[in-house]
Amino acid sequence: MKRSSSSIRDLTELRDKERELISKSVAIREIHHRVKNNLQTVASLLRLQMRLGAPEESKPHLLVSLNRVLSISSVYEIILASSQVDHVDLLELIRKIGDMIVHTEGQARQCLRIEYSGELHSIDSDIGISVALVVNELIHNCVKHAFKEGTEGNITVCLQKDGPELELQVRDDGIGYSPAVKPSLGLDIIRMTVENDLDGEFSIQRIKEGTLASVRFPYKR
């Protein structure tokens, strides 16, 4: 039986659309790959500056900047390692960033532990970048400010879905947050990113044992 001209035309259009989607997917992944490589180059330059030309008092600040760059880079690393074209698993991203910070900034504290809980939620890479910055600052604050040197410490990161929103909680059992403390660049970055980029809400409070920071934002896939 001969196919009608309309059926052949429909099949041709379908194949053309499939080729177009494949081409777009390849282009997007290539862009992600280039961005990741550029971020890795910036990270390498920061490491080189820390090793060769930075005064000792400047190295902690360079390390903070390095971790911010690596946190953004983690978004692209996860995308490129998966079958997703432009989405990232949020819990995997959080775990990757948290482990990196504890290793690089808390390596002198052998008794510092971090745990994660929650389910995987796939989010758009643009949102992932904003969340990566927020997670970096939250965990960095725990590592640097919550525990006195030589003391044991626990950080718990929980991701949960609450209706149309995602809630990220970062809890530590350290010395406790004090509202009287001078505002920091890290907290300013968190607030601005959550409110402007995620259209969400940020809160931080002292609890019975330590500090609880919470971020809520709409879940947009």
Side-chain angles (χ1 to χ4, degrees), residues 67-105:
N67 282 339
R68 286 172 181 151
V69 172
L70 292 177
S71 294
I72 298 174
S73 178
S74 296
V75 176
Y76 299 98
E77 290 176 6
I78 292 174
I79 292 174
L80 292 170
S82 71
S83 59
Q84 299 281 353
V85 175
D86 202 29
H87 284 72
V88 60
D89 285 325
L90 186 52
L91 188 60
E92 182 181 356
L93 175 66
I94 292 169
R95 184 180 291 111
K96 188 177 183 68
I97 294 172
D99 290 348
M100 173 192 69
I101 295 173
V102 170
H103 175 73
T104 57
E105 297 195 28

Side-chain angles (χ1 to χ4, degrees), residues 62-206:
L62 289 172
L63 181 58
V64 172
S65 297
L66 173 62
N67 282 339
R68 286 172 181 151
V69 172
L70 292 177
S71 294
I72 298 174
S73 178
S74 296
V75 176
Y76 299 98
E77 290 176 6
I78 292 174
I79 292 174
L80 292 170
S82 71
S83 59
Q84 299 281 353
V85 175
D86 202 29
H87 284 72
V88 60
D89 285 325
L90 186 52
L91 188 60
E92 182 181 356
L93 175 66
I94 292 169
R95 184 180 291 111
K96 188 177 183 68
I97 294 172
D99 290 348
M100 173 192 69
I101 295 173
V102 170
H103 175 73
T104 57
E105 297 195 28
Q107 55 187 343
R109 303 168 183 240
Q110 299 299 325
C111 49
L112 186 60
R113 294 175 295 275
I114 184 167
E115 297 181 355
Y116 310 91
S117 65
E119 299 177 351
L120 291 176
H121 293 286
S122 179
I123 60 173
D124 184 85
S125 61
D126 289 340
I127 300 176
I129 291 172
S130 298
V131 174
L133 282 172
V134 170
V135 169
N136 177 81
E137 299 302 327
L138 287 174
I139 299 178
H140 167 78
N141 282 343
C142 293
V143 172
K144 297 298 290 184
H145 304 299
F147 309 105
K148 295 180 180 179
E149 190 171 349
T151 60
E152 291 188 2
N154 296 285
I155 301 170
T156 304
V157 184
C158 177
L159 175 68
Q160 56 190 5
K161 191 170 183 295
D162 184 11
E165 295 184 320
L166 286 177
E167 182 177 24
L168 171 67
Q169 291 187 344
V170 179
R171 183 192 308 262
D172 67 65
D173 58 358
I175 59 177
Y177 170 75
S178 173
V181 172
K182 182 180 178 180
S184 66
L185 174 61
L187 288 179
D188 287 342
I189 289 175
I190 294 169
R191 288 193 175 93
M192 287 189 297
T193 304
V194 171
E195 294 174 4
N196 298 335
D197 298 341
L198 297 177
D199 194 24
E201 298 177 349
F202 168 65
S203 65
I204 182 169
Q205 59 182 314
R206 185 169 188 157

